[in-house]
Amino acid sequence: MSDEDIEDVDLLVVGDGKAGKSLAMDRAKAGWRVVMVERDKIGGTCINVACIPTKTLVGSARTLLTARDAAERGVEISGEPAVDLDRLRAHVEGVVGGMVSAHAKMFADSGMDFILGTARFVGERTVEIRTNDGTTRVVRGRDVVVNTGTTPAVPALPGVTEAEVWNSETILHLERLPETLLIIGGGYVGCEFASMFAVFGTRVTLLQGRDQLLPREDPDVAGQVADILTDQGVDVHLGARASAVRREPGHGDVVVTLADGSSVRAQELLVATGRTPVTADLGLDTAGVELTKRGFVAVDNHLRTTADHVWAAGDVAGSPQFTHASWNDFRILRANLTGRDATTTGRLVPYTVFITPELARVGLTETEARAQGHDVKVARLQVSAIPRAKTLDDTVGTWKAVVDAETGQILGAALLGHNAGEVIAAVQMAILGRMPYQQVRNAVITHPTMGEGLNLLFDALDQGAPRRKEPAGQAPPDGNRD
């Protein structure tokens, strides 16, 4: 093709995930010529088939739990609270649809050229776009960002494709709430759906091939999560490796055969075994962009690929698979594209697992801290000791923090309990500010709030021990909590 057939722009973004769409809008508003192409999800995975719809469902499940417990809290509700599937579906679709519409407007208002279509690299920094309206365009960017994300992985299980099973996206169609549900995979996604559907009234069986749920967590934390799911009615099987899948005739039950020869069955099966990068059909080799052994785009700590002026961000670049990590990728890219210098090195990425109650994590686990050679002290607090939890009658869970014994620096925390995802931000700020735990312990935090539990958590480190000299400007705690 000749140069006359190519549209030249300042920035070409392939995929409208959080990093890509944020950068495209930002640079378009700054006066750059920007083209962004997206295959099928306006606004990206998060708002269409991940964070937003799933957390909307989690909110509905928690509302159902609250309604069931209303009488114990002095509130009369006539009839047994139950899920109305049509209204539940409409609620989720309304939330998602509203955000999709808002994104379409934001894209237009920014001044970018937003194209719905499929892009494939045909040269350096150049893609051919087959648009959804049947036309073809060839666009070359002075800078290019690959932001195509990931898609649910399909495990190499005999029969899994033919059995028409669910993944973490198709389950959100909410065609029905099955009476029974099998879930393969005890990671974050599997645990979230297990908790949610158990609350909705489905009998859930969770199959985890490893010897604990949530393998990235400390064993004691993962064990508590397993206990909570069990209390919600989930039948948790650890060390249960699936070897084959089949569906009985007439769209009957799904039967999963395990490695030990036994089998389990349910009306539906959710496969939650991770996600795989969307790179296979992009023609990245033509653009000089190399992939890792796992198929992700290879990037350095500036998010540069192996091709000049081609960058990658978000899940497809191997960043932590959280929207907030992708948003930070946007900030790094914006800095690097505008003459500054920013890297991913040393960034602190928290996350929350939206089971009920939720598990929030930041920094090092106890296992990781010890493996790195830290002499650690571990603080633990039962959520039932926090006054706010008592007022809410929501006292399930345990908080845990890991502290360097010599310096008092907070290395990490795992908070399992009500609103843990909100409280973890305070711990993150303390770590970023290199505050010794004593400053958090002595901080005057509003009563009664869940955040106040941080006073109690770090107070537990010094119970029965001689009090060391307090950091400058900090008064010792009074030790009283109602």
Side-chain angles (χ1 to χ4, degrees):
M1 75 186 67
S2 67
D3 276 0
E4 294 180 356
D5 300 321
I6 300 175
E7 303 173 46
D8 282 297
V9 298
D10 298 312
L11 177 65
L12 167 64
V13 178
V14 181
D16 73 342
K18 185 64 175 178
K21 67 188 179 187
S22 300
L23 184 66
M25 288 188 287
D26 178 88
R27 292 297 84 203
K29 291 176 181 177
W32 288 22
R33 292 168 299 165
V34 178
V35 165
M36 182 171 71
V37 56
E38 163 59 31
R39 182 173 56 182
D40 59 355
K41 297 181 179 69
I42 297 177
T45 296
C46 173
I47 68 170
N48 284 275
V49 292
C51 315
I52 298 305
T54 58
K55 278 48 177 183
T56 301
L57 286 171
V58 168
S60 294
R62 291 178 179 176
T63 299
L64 183 58
L65 277 177
T66 299
R68 287 172 179 165
D69 295 338
E72 297 179 9
R73 302 177 186 184
V75 177
E76 184 72 28
I77 294 180
S78 58
E80 178 67 21
V83 173
D84 182 320
L85 184 56
D86 289 339
R87 290 185 177 181
L88 181 64
R89 186 187 304 111
H91 173 52
V92 174
E93 291 174 351
V95 172
V96 171
M99 294 190 71
V100 168
S101 296
H103 275 73
K105 184 177 187 303
M106 288 190 295
F107 293 169
D109 291 348
S110 73
M112 77 163 84
D113 184 358
F114 176 57
I115 305 171
L116 279 172
T118 302
R120 181 177 177 82
F121 283 89
V122 292
E124 294 181 358
R125 297 177 285 107
T126 306
V127 299
E128 181 181 80
I129 305 169
R130 297 189 180 277
T131 70
N132 289 359
D133 62 10
T135 61
T136 299
R137 295 171 62 177
V138 181
V139 180
R140 178 170 56 204
R142 183 186 66 202
D143 284 279
V144 177
V145 175
V146 180
N147 186 219
T148 49
T150 56
T151 192
V154 179
L157 276 176
V160 70
T161 302
E162 295 79 6
E164 299 179 356
V165 302
W166 288 340
N167 60 40
S168 59
E169 296 182 3
T170 56
I171 194 173
L172 296 172
H173 295 163
L174 293 177
E175 295 173 354
R176 63 169 173 160
L177 286 178
E179 294 182 6
T180 54
L181 173 67
L182 286 171
I183 298 176
I184 295 178
Y188 304 125
V189 172
C191 287
E192 284 188 4
F193 277 106
S195 177
M196 177 199 314
F197 272 79
V199 171
F200 285 151
T202 297
R203 297 195 305 278
V204 179
T205 299
L206 180 59
L207 306 175
Q208 168 68 329
R210 303 192 187 189
D211 59 1
Q212 74 169 56
L213 299 179
L214 307 179
R216 288 177 56 186
E217 310 303 325
D218 281 328
D220 57 334
V221 174
Q224 291 177 61
V225 170
D227 291 341
I228 287 172
L229 293 179
T230 299
D231 288 344
Q232 290 175 348
V234 178
D235 189 6
V236 177
H237 292 250
L238 301 178
R241 296 187 177 276
S243 60
V245 176
R246 65 178 174 85
R247 186 182 285 276
E248 294 186 334
H251 205 79
D253 284 354
V254 178
V255 180
V256 176
T257 302
L258 303 179
D260 64 4
S262 63
S263 64
V264 288
R265 67 170 57 221
Q267 288 181 342
E268 298 294 346
L269 167 64
L270 166 65
V271 175
T273 53
R275 298 181 68 86
T276 188
V278 179
T279 53
D281 298 318
L282 289 178
L284 289 168
D285 55 339
T286 303
V289 176
E290 294 180 4
L291 304 180
T292 68
K293 291 181 179 179
R294 297 178 58 205
F296 293 89
V297 176
V299 296
D300 64 11
N301 63 358
H302 289 79
L303 299 178
R304 291 182 296 230
T305 73
T306 52
D308 287 343
H309 291 277
V310 179
W311 315 74
D315 293 3
V316 77
S319 294
Q321 293 184 14
F322 307 112
T323 297
H324 46 286
S326 186
W327 198 26
N328 185 249
D329 283 357
F330 145 65
R331 296 177 183 279
I332 291 169
L333 287 175
R334 179 175 61 180
N336 293 333
L337 287 172
T338 55
R340 291 171 287 162
D341 184 64
T343 75
T344 59
T345 302
R347 65 178 173 181
L348 187 64
V349 180
Y351 56 87
T352 299
V353 187
F354 289 88
I355 55 176
T356 302
E358 57 202 36
L359 169 65
R361 273 260 290 108
V362 70
L364 300 179
T365 64
E366 179 185 358
T367 304
E368 291 168 339
R370 295 189 188 279
Q372 292 184 17
H374 290 279
D375 179 16
V376 303
K377 298 198 297 185
V378 179
R380 289 184 174 84
L381 177 73
Q382 297 298 315
V383 170
S384 57
I386 302 173
R388 180 58 173 161
K390 295 177 182 178
T391 69
L392 295 169
D393 192 27
D394 196 347
T395 56
V396 174
T398 303
W399 287 8
K400 176 181 181 180
V402 182
V403 170
D404 186 281
E406 181 178 353
T407 65
Q409 295 293 313
I410 303 168
L411 301 175
L415 310 183
L416 176 60
H418 176 77
N419 255 15
E422 307 296 333
V423 179
I424 203 69
V427 182
Q428 181 186 13
M429 294 303 106
I431 295 175
L432 290 172
R434 300 191 62 79
M435 295 170 60
Y437 78 88
Q438 294 94 335
Q439 285 188 279
V440 181
R441 180 196 67 199
N442 297 347
V444 182
I445 301 174
T446 304
H447 171 81
T449 61
M450 292 303 295
E452 182 187 27
L454 294 175
N455 291 151
L456 302 174
L457 175 65
F458 291 110
D459 224 7
L461 284 176
D462 298 313
Q463 294 296 326
R467 181 76 74 189
R468 296 188 296 176
K469 183 178 179 180
E470 302 297 332
Q474 292 291 317
D478 60 18
N480 295 322
R481 283 292 182 272
D482 293 334

